[in-house]
Amino acid sequence: MSTNINANVLKNFIVKTICSDKITLLRAQKYDIDPDKFVEANKDENTYLELDEILADTDLYEQFATMYVEEQDKEKEAANEEKEKEEAAKVQDKGESKA
């Protein structure tokens, strides 16, 4: 499901989410990334993962893709709630104008 997310879209999401194009182990744990997965994906063995390392690792790609899908679902839900509120307000306004 979520592995069908375009790599460029996912890159933009990751940069927006973590506010960087690199992520440290401590920061990765904040996003529930398994420390072992972090070390496994860290090919150049420095203190951070770069976007390309994240996207090259299937498990991390899947995790961030899932986060992206969840975020999109939240945004759609919020938009639907706002639309419902606007429609309810219109109905209420029509009812008050007839009274």
Side-chain angles (χ1 to χ4, degrees):
M1 156 185 108
S2 51
T3 54
N4 294 330
I5 306 300
N6 178 288
N8 288 327
V9 171
L10 194 57
K11 278 183 179 182
N12 290 334
F13 172 75
I14 293 169
V15 169
K16 178 182 147 196
T17 302
I18 64 175
C19 301
S20 177
D21 60 349
K22 300 174 184 169
I23 185 170
T24 63
L25 177 58
L26 186 60
R27 186 105 186 226
Q29 288 175 323
K30 177 182 173 189
Y31 296 101
D32 296 324
I33 294 173
D34 182 343
D36 294 332
K37 298 288 183 195
F38 181 95
V39 171
E40 203 175 286
N42 194 359
K43 301 298 182 199
D44 54 8
E45 299 178 359
N46 52 13
T47 58
Y48 54 84
L49 283 178
E50 297 172 11
L51 284 176
D52 292 336
E53 291 173 312
I54 293 170
L55 297 177
D57 185 271
T58 307
D59 292 331
L60 295 180
Y61 191 102
E62 175 68 28
Q63 184 169 357
F64 278 101
T66 300
M67 288 171 54
Y68 173 78
V69 169
E70 289 172 354
E71 185 68 26
Q72 293 299 306
D73 289 346
K74 286 179 190 176
E75 289 176 8
K76 285 178 187 175
E77 187 176 309
N80 287 341
E81 287 177 7
E82 185 64 30
K83 187 175 180 180
E84 287 174 9
K85 286 179 185 178
E86 288 174 5
E87 289 175 3
K90 287 179 185 177
V91 169
Q92 185 178 10
D93 289 344
K94 285 182 181 180
E96 289 175 359
S97 65
K98 289 182 181 180

